């Protein structure tokens, strides 16, 4: 099919992050639309149009600013020169105040819910994003929770949004039939809204606590991680809580498979991929009863109030000691995870894009 669809991949980085993983997994299912990819990488067999490689999150604030300027100044020229009639951006960035038609994906509005003083994201989410969303032809969201946030914060009608859940790599995240070790696992960034300080308190209060460890996987944060380390020292948990850093894509399933449970008591998520990936590995999940997390977990996890450390402790104790509950969570999690696939996500996305081409 002839198509004038441009897909903006100017943000792509080699290391798997949430948005890069999303984009790379849905692209194969958009092939029938015959798109042109605007990308710093090369994706055969697609038509690739090379863009500068210095506009990604790897370059920090400078990369972000360069990408915003390129999106505003260069992308409309490409749109015109390549005779496009629609841009798809897997994140909420597009040229504003131009004649370019576009569809964007919004993953979350967390910086509006948990804003940080002096963060560059404050202005980005308060002024740039609402203008993009008001001009967009349509908006794709990872969850109903994010669609409702778009309506709440930006007063954009829900009719303008379509919820298309994320998914996971079934070849990578699966039950490996490994013996369970003695650690609880958290996966994700260190950020106050991720609620790690309460997770540490909850772990400290576990009955038979010396029998267990808590492993925290993910990139550290220069301002928040030292607070967590001080709390761990104050509670005399230095031997029991391990910061294991970023786990490679290949090692992550082994780490998940051997955990007693994934504990993910985040205060808010646009989706919550670690929850889905843990269920796909047959690992019990403890997660929050807020935002998108009930949408992802269904009835297949122990849901807790993330502000209540006693509830988190009780759930951890239950999973560690109740073999029947563990077995039930394992089976339910595998069934729940099987409902999600990148093929489904990609084909649903293709359907929306085709409608607006």
């Amino acid at each position: 099919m002839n198509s004038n669809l441009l897909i903006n991949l100017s943000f792509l980085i080699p290391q798997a992050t949430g948005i890069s993983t999303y984009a790379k997994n849905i692209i194969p299912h958009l092939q029938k639309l015959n798109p042109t990819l605007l990308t710093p990488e090369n994706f055969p067999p697609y038509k690739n149009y090379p863009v500068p490689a210095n506009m990604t999150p790897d370059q920090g604030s400078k990369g972000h600013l360069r990408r915003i300027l390129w999106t505003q100044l260069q992308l409309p020229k490409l749109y015109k020169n390549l005779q496009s009639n629609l841009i798809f951006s897997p994140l909420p960035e597009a040229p504003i105040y131009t004649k370019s038609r576009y569809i964007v994906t919004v993953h979350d509005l967390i910086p509006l819910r948990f804003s940080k003083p002096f963060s560059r994201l404050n202005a980005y989410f308060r002024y740039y994003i609402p203008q993009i969303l008001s001009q967009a032809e349509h908006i794709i969201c990872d969850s109903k929770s994010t669609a409702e946030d778009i309506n709440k914060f930006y007063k954009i009608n829900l009719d303008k949004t379509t919820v298309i859940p994320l998914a996971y790599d079934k070849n990578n995240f699966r039950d490996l039939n490994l013996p369970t070790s003695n650690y609880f696992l958290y996966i994700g960034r260190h950020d106050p809204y991720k609620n790690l300080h309460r997770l540490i308190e909850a772990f400290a209060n576990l009955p038979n606590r010396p029998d267990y460890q808590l492993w925290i996987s993910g990139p550290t944060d220069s301002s928040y991680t030292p607070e967590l380390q001080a709390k761990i020292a104050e509670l005399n948990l230095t031997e029991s809580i391990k910061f294991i850093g970023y786990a490679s894509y290949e090692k992550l399933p082994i780490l998940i498979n051997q955990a007693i449970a994934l504990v993910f008591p985040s205060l808010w998520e646009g989706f919550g991929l670690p929850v889905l990936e843990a269920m796909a590995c047959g690992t019990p999940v403890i997660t929050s009863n807020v935002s998108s997390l009930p949408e992802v977990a269904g009835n297949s996890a122990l849901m807790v109030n993330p502000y209540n450390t006693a509830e988190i402790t009780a759930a951890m104790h239950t999973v560690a000691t109740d073999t029947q509950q563990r077995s039930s969570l394992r089976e339910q999690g595998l069934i729940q995870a099987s409902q999600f696939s990148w093929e489904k996500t990609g084909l649903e996305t293709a359907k929306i894009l085709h409608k607006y081409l």
Side-chain angles (χ1 to χ4, degrees), residues 264 266 269 271-272 275 287-288 290-298 303:
F264 197 74
S266 178
E269 292 292 321
F271 187 77
V275 168
T287 194
S288 307
V290 297
S291 69
S292 62
L293 294 163
E295 293 177 54
V296 179
M303 312 301 288

Side-chain angles (χ1 to χ4, degrees), residues 71-73 76 94-102 127-136:
T71 301
Q72 194 56 37
L73 303 174
I96 52 178
Y97 308 123
T98 73
K99 291 181 179 177
S100 308
R101 296 173 68 249
Y102 55 83
Y127 306 110
Y128 182 59
I129 301 286
Q131 190 59 46
I132 285 167
L133 301 189
S134 70
Q135 287 184 215

